[in-house]
mmCIF file with all atom_site columns, all heavy atoms in Angstrom:
data_model
loop_
_atom_site.group_PDB
_atom_site.id
_atom_site.type_symbol
_atom_site.label_atom_id
_atom_site.label_alt_id
_atom_site.label_comp_id
_atom_site.label_asym_id
_atom_site.label_entity_id
_atom_site.label_seq_id
_atom_site.pdbx_PDB_ins_code
_atom_site.Cartn_x
_atom_site.Cartn_y
_atom_site.Cartn_z
_atom_site.occupancy
_atom_site.B_iso_or_equiv
_atom_site.pdbx_formal_charge
_atom_site.auth_seq_id
_atom_site.auth_comp_id
_atom_site.auth_asym_id
_atom_site.auth_atom_id
_atom_site.pdbx_PDB_model_num
ATOM 1   N N   . ALA V 1 277 ? -29.244 3.935  -20.058 1.00 97.00 ? 297 ALA V N   1
ATOM 2   C CA  . ALA V 1 277 ? -30.548 4.604  -20.010 1.00 97.00 ? 297 ALA V CA  1
ATOM 3   C C   . ALA V 1 277 ? -31.271 4.231  -18.712 1.00 97.00 ? 297 ALA V C   1
ATOM 4   O O   . ALA V 1 277 ? -31.854 5.096  -18.041 1.00 97.00 ? 297 ALA V O   1
ATOM 5   C CB  . ALA V 1 277 ? -31.393 4.186  -21.209 1.00 97.00 ? 297 ALA V CB  1
ATOM 6   N N   . GLN V 1 278 ? -31.204 2.981  -18.356 1.00 96.00 ? 298 GLN V N   1
ATOM 7   C CA  . GLN V 1 278 ? -31.835 2.509  -17.129 1.00 96.00 ? 298 GLN V CA  1
ATOM 8   C C   . GLN V 1 278 ? -31.318 3.288  -15.923 1.00 96.00 ? 298 GLN V C   1
ATOM 9   O O   . GLN V 1 278 ? -32.072 3.667  -15.044 1.00 96.00 ? 298 GLN V O   1
ATOM 10  C CB  . GLN V 1 278 ? -31.558 1.011  -16.934 1.00 96.00 ? 298 GLN V CB  1
ATOM 11  C CG  . GLN V 1 278 ? -32.232 0.389  -15.745 1.00 96.00 ? 298 GLN V CG  1
ATOM 12  C CD  . GLN V 1 278 ? -31.404 0.433  -14.480 1.00 96.00 ? 298 GLN V CD  1
ATOM 13  O OE1 . GLN V 1 278 ? -30.339 1.023  -14.435 1.00 96.00 ? 298 GLN V OE1 1
ATOM 14  N NE2 . GLN V 1 278 ? -31.898 -0.187 -13.441 1.00 96.00 ? 298 GLN V NE2 1
ATOM 15  N N   . GLN V 1 279 ? -30.011 3.532  -15.877 1.00 95.00 ? 299 GLN V N   1
ATOM 16  C CA  . GLN V 1 279 ? -29.426 4.185  -14.728 1.00 95.00 ? 299 GLN V CA  1
ATOM 17  C C   . GLN V 1 279 ? -29.852 5.648  -14.616 1.00 95.00 ? 299 GLN V C   1
ATOM 18  O O   . GLN V 1 279 ? -30.107 6.151  -13.532 1.00 95.00 ? 299 GLN V O   1
ATOM 19  C CB  . GLN V 1 279 ? -27.905 4.058  -14.752 1.00 95.00 ? 299 GLN V CB  1
ATOM 20  C CG  . GLN V 1 279 ? -27.229 4.308  -13.418 1.00 95.00 ? 299 GLN V CG  1
ATOM 21  C CD  . GLN V 1 279 ? -27.751 3.411  -12.311 1.00 95.00 ? 299 GLN V CD  1
ATOM 22  O OE1 . GLN V 1 279 ? -28.368 2.383  -12.559 1.00 95.00 ? 299 GLN V OE1 1
ATOM 23  N NE2 . GLN V 1 279 ? -27.555 3.835  -11.074 1.00 95.00 ? 299 GLN V NE2 1
ATOM 24  N N   . TYR V 1 280 ? -29.928 6.334  -15.739 1.00 96.00 ? 300 TYR V N   1
ATOM 25  C CA  . TYR V 1 280 ? -30.407 7.732  -15.712 1.00 96.00 ? 300 TYR V CA  1
ATOM 26  C C   . TYR V 1 280 ? -31.857 7.785  -15.256 1.00 96.00 ? 300 TYR V C   1
ATOM 27  O O   . TYR V 1 280 ? -32.247 8.611  -14.438 1.00 96.00 ? 300 TYR V O   1
ATOM 28  C CB  . TYR V 1 280 ? -30.274 8.368  -17.098 1.00 96.00 ? 300 TYR V CB  1
ATOM 29  C CG  . TYR V 1 280 ? -28.862 8.664  -17.522 1.00 96.00 ? 300 TYR V CG  1
ATOM 30  C CD1 . TYR V 1 280 ? -28.295 8.000  -18.612 1.00 96.00 ? 300 TYR V CD1 1
ATOM 31  C CD2 . TYR V 1 280 ? -28.101 9.599  -16.837 1.00 96.00 ? 300 TYR V CD2 1
ATOM 32  C CE1 . TYR V 1 280 ? -26.979 8.270  -18.992 1.00 96.00 ? 300 TYR V CE1 1
ATOM 33  C CE2 . TYR V 1 280 ? -26.799 9.867  -17.226 1.00 96.00 ? 300 TYR V CE2 1
ATOM 34  C CZ  . TYR V 1 280 ? -26.245 9.205  -18.309 1.00 96.00 ? 300 TYR V CZ  1
ATOM 35  O OH  . TYR V 1 280 ? -24.963 9.466  -18.689 1.00 96.00 ? 300 TYR V OH  1
ATOM 36  N N   . LEU V 1 281 ? -32.679 6.871  -15.768 1.00 95.00 ? 301 LEU V N   1
ATOM 37  C CA  . LEU V 1 281 ? -34.094 6.860  -15.413 1.00 95.00 ? 301 LEU V CA  1
ATOM 38  C C   . LEU V 1 281 ? -34.284 6.486  -13.939 1.00 95.00 ? 301 LEU V C   1
ATOM 39  O O   . LEU V 1 281 ? -35.078 7.096  -13.233 1.00 95.00 ? 301 LEU V O   1
ATOM 40  C CB  . LEU V 1 281 ? -34.867 5.865  -16.304 1.00 95.00 ? 301 LEU V CB  1
ATOM 41  C CG  . LEU V 1 281 ? -35.035 6.278  -17.760 1.00 95.00 ? 301 LEU V CG  1
ATOM 42  C CD1 . LEU V 1 281 ? -35.564 5.100  -18.580 1.00 95.00 ? 301 LEU V CD1 1
ATOM 43  C CD2 . LEU V 1 281 ? -35.992 7.474  -17.889 1.00 95.00 ? 301 LEU V CD2 1
ATOM 44  N N   . PHE V 1 282 ? -33.545 5.504  -13.487 1.00 94.00 ? 302 PHE V N   1
ATOM 45  C CA  . PHE V 1 282 ? -33.610 5.062  -12.089 1.00 94.00 ? 302 PHE V CA  1
ATOM 46  C C   . PHE V 1 282 ? -33.255 6.196  -11.142 1.00 94.00 ? 302 PHE V C   1
ATOM 47  O O   . PHE V 1 282 ? -33.973 6.504  -10.188 1.00 94.00 ? 302 PHE V O   1
ATOM 48  C CB  . PHE V 1 282 ? -32.650 3.880  -11.873 1.00 94.00 ? 302 PHE V CB  1
ATOM 49  C CG  . PHE V 1 282 ? -32.443 3.516  -10.426 1.00 94.00 ? 302 PHE V CG  1
ATOM 50  C CD1 . PHE V 1 282 ? -33.372 2.752  -9.741  1.00 94.00 ? 302 PHE V CD1 1
ATOM 51  C CD2 . PHE V 1 282 ? -31.310 3.938  -9.747  1.00 94.00 ? 302 PHE V CD2 1
ATOM 52  C CE1 . PHE V 1 282 ? -33.186 2.411  -8.408  1.00 94.00 ? 302 PHE V CE1 1
ATOM 53  C CE2 . PHE V 1 282 ? -31.121 3.621  -8.415  1.00 94.00 ? 302 PHE V CE2 1
ATOM 54  C CZ  . PHE V 1 282 ? -32.049 2.849  -7.754  1.00 94.00 ? 302 PHE V CZ  1
ATOM 55  N N   . TYR V 1 283 ? -32.141 6.848  -11.422 1.00 95.00 ? 303 TYR V N   1
ATOM 56  C CA  . TYR V 1 283 ? -31.639 7.920  -10.555 1.00 95.00 ? 303 TYR V CA  1
ATOM 57  C C   . TYR V 1 283 ? -32.624 9.089  -10.526 1.00 95.00 ? 303 TYR V C   1
ATOM 58  O O   . TYR V 1 283 ? -32.944 9.624  -9.460  1.00 95.00 ? 303 TYR V O   1
ATOM 59  C CB  . TYR V 1 283 ? -30.270 8.370  -11.080 1.00 95.00 ? 303 TYR V CB  1
ATOM 60  C CG  . TYR V 1 283 ? -29.583 9.428  -10.254 1.00 95.00 ? 303 TYR V CG  1
ATOM 61  C CD1 . TYR V 1 283 ? -29.413 9.269  -8.875  1.00 95.00 ? 303 TYR V CD1 1
ATOM 62  C CD2 . TYR V 1 283 ? -29.084 10.579 -10.855 1.00 95.00 ? 303 TYR V CD2 1
ATOM 63  C CE1 . TYR V 1 283 ? -28.742 10.230 -8.128  1.00 95.00 ? 303 TYR V CE1 1
ATOM 64  C CE2 . TYR V 1 283 ? -28.409 11.538 -10.120 1.00 95.00 ? 303 TYR V CE2 1
ATOM 65  C CZ  . TYR V 1 283 ? -28.259 11.367 -8.760  1.00 95.00 ? 303 TYR V CZ  1
ATOM 66  O OH  . TYR V 1 283 ? -27.597 12.324 -8.032  1.00 95.00 ? 303 TYR V OH  1
ATOM 67  N N   . TRP V 1 284 ? -33.124 9.435  -11.695 1.00 94.00 ? 304 TRP V N   1
ATOM 68  C CA  . TRP V 1 284 ? -34.062 10.545 -11.770 1.00 94.00 ? 304 TRP V CA  1
ATOM 69  C C   . TRP V 1 284 ? -35.347 10.228 -11.000 1.00 94.00 ? 304 TRP V C   1
ATOM 70  O O   . TRP V 1 284 ? -35.855 11.033 -10.229 1.00 94.00 ? 304 TRP V O   1
ATOM 71  C CB  . TRP V 1 284 ? -34.393 10.831 -13.241 1.00 94.00 ? 304 TRP V CB  1
ATOM 72  C CG  . TRP V 1 284 ? -35.471 11.851 -13.418 1.00 94.00 ? 304 TRP V CG  1
ATOM 73  C CD1 . TRP V 1 284 ? -35.351 13.201 -13.274 1.00 94.00 ? 304 TRP V CD1 1
ATOM 74  C CD2 . TRP V 1 284 ? -36.838 11.605 -13.736 1.00 94.00 ? 304 TRP V CD2 1
ATOM 75  N NE1 . TRP V 1 284 ? -36.554 13.818 -13.502 1.00 94.00 ? 304 TRP V NE1 1
ATOM 76  C CE2 . TRP V 1 284 ? -37.485 12.863 -13.782 1.00 94.00 ? 304 TRP V CE2 1
ATOM 77  C CE3 . TRP V 1 284 ? -37.587 10.439 -14.007 1.00 94.00 ? 304 TRP V CE3 1
ATOM 78  C CZ2 . TRP V 1 284 ? -38.842 12.990 -14.076 1.00 94.00 ? 304 TRP V CZ2 1
ATOM 79  C CZ3 . TRP V 1 284 ? -38.930 10.572 -14.297 1.00 94.00 ? 304 TRP V CZ3 1
ATOM 80  C CH2 . TRP V 1 284 ? -39.549 11.832 -14.321 1.00 94.00 ? 304 TRP V CH2 1
ATOM 81  N N   . LYS V 1 285 ? -35.875 9.041  -11.187 1.00 92.00 ? 305 LYS V N   1
ATOM 82  C CA  . LYS V 1 285 ? -37.138 8.662  -10.557 1.00 92.00 ? 305 LYS V CA  1
ATOM 83  C C   . LYS V 1 285 ? -36.985 8.550  -9.046  1.00 92.00 ? 305 LYS V C   1
ATOM 84  O O   . LYS V 1 285 ? -37.863 8.959  -8.291  1.00 92.00 ? 305 LYS V O   1
ATOM 85  C CB  . LYS V 1 285 ? -37.622 7.329  -11.125 1.00 92.00 ? 305 LYS V CB  1
ATOM 86  C CG  . LYS V 1 285 ? -39.002 6.889  -10.629 1.00 92.00 ? 305 LYS V CG  1
ATOM 87  C CD  . LYS V 1 285 ? -40.075 7.879  -11.051 1.00 92.00 ? 305 LYS V CD  1
ATOM 88  C CE  . LYS V 1 285 ? -41.415 7.557  -10.425 1.00 92.00 ? 305 LYS V CE  1
ATOM 89  N NZ  . LYS V 1 285 ? -42.381 8.643  -10.689 1.00 92.00 ? 305 LYS V NZ  1
ATOM 90  N N   . ARG V 1 286 ? -35.873 8.006  -8.602  1.00 91.00 ? 306 ARG V N   1
ATOM 91  C CA  . ARG V 1 286 ? -35.694 7.773  -7.171  1.00 91.00 ? 306 ARG V CA  1
ATOM 92  C C   . ARG V 1 286 ? -35.493 9.091  -6.411  1.00 91.00 ? 306 ARG V C   1
ATOM 93  O O   . ARG V 1 286 ? -35.844 9.209  -5.253  1.00 91.00 ? 306 ARG V O   1
ATOM 94  C CB  . ARG V 1 286 ? -34.493 6.858  -6.929  1.00 91.00 ? 306 ARG V CB  1
ATOM 95  C CG  . ARG V 1 286 ? -34.514 6.138  -5.589  1.00 91.00 ? 306 ARG V CG  1
ATOM 96  C CD  . ARG V 1 286 ? -33.430 5.087  -5.526  1.00 91.00 ? 306 ARG V CD  1
ATOM 97  N NE  . ARG V 1 286 ? -32.120 5.666  -5.710  1.00 91.00 ? 306 ARG V NE  1
ATOM 98  C CZ  . ARG V 1 286 ? -31.310 6.027  -4.728  1.00 91.00 ? 306 ARG V CZ  1
ATOM 99  N NH1 . ARG V 1 286 ? -31.680 5.848  -3.484  1.00 91.00 ? 306 ARG V NH1 1
ATOM 100 N NH2 . ARG V 1 286 ? -30.132 6.544  -4.976  1.00 91.00 ? 306 ARG V NH2 1
ATOM 101 N N   . GLU V 1 287 ? -34.912 10.073 -7.106  1.00 91.00 ? 307 GLU V N   1
ATOM 102 C CA  . GLU V 1 287 ? -34.616 11.341 -6.439  1.00 91.00 ? 307 GLU V CA  1
ATOM 103 C C   . GLU V 1 287 ? -35.732 12.370 -6.601  1.00 91.00 ? 307 GLU V C   1
ATOM 104 O O   . GLU V 1 287 ? -35.661 13.440 -6.004  1.00 91.00 ? 307 GLU V O   1
ATOM 105 C CB  . GLU V 1 287 ? -33.307 11.924 -6.976  1.00 91.00 ? 307 GLU V CB  1
ATOM 106 C CG  . GLU V 1 287 ? -32.125 10.995 -6.858  1.00 91.00 ? 307 GLU V CG  1
ATOM 107 C CD  . GLU V 1 287 ? -31.252 11.315 -5.657  1.00 91.00 ? 307 GLU V CD  1
ATOM 108 O OE1 . GLU V 1 287 ? -31.080 12.488 -5.329  1.00 91.00 ? 307 GLU V OE1 1
ATOM 109 O OE2 . GLU V 1 287 ? -30.732 10.357 -5.042  1.00 91.00 ? 307 GLU V OE2 1
ATOM 110 N N   . ASN V 1 288 ? -36.737 12.077 -7.451  1.00 87.00 ? 308 ASN V N   1
ATOM 111 C CA  . ASN V 1 288 ? -37.795 13.067 -7.695  1.00 87.00 ? 308 ASN V CA  1
ATOM 112 C C   . ASN V 1 288 ? -39.192 12.546 -7.371  1.00 87.00 ? 308 ASN V C   1
ATOM 113 O O   . ASN V 1 288 ? -39.367 11.493 -6.899  1.00 87.00 ? 308 ASN V O   1
ATOM 114 C CB  . ASN V 1 288 ? -37.741 13.537 -9.158  1.00 87.00 ? 308 ASN V CB  1
ATOM 115 C CG  . ASN V 1 288 ? -36.509 14.388 -9.427  1.00 87.00 ? 308 ASN V CG  1
ATOM 116 O OD1 . ASN V 1 288 ? -36.417 15.511 -8.981  1.00 87.00 ? 308 ASN V OD1 1
ATOM 117 N ND2 . ASN V 1 288 ? -35.570 13.813 -10.137 1.00 87.00 ? 308 ASN V ND2 1
#
Side-chain angles (χ1 to χ4, degrees):
Chain V
Q298 184 270 5
Q299 198 56 18
Y300 289 115
L301 290 169
F302 169 81
Y303 183 52
W304 173 76
K305 185 63 187 171
R306 202 170 60 95
E307 304 261 323
N308 290 288

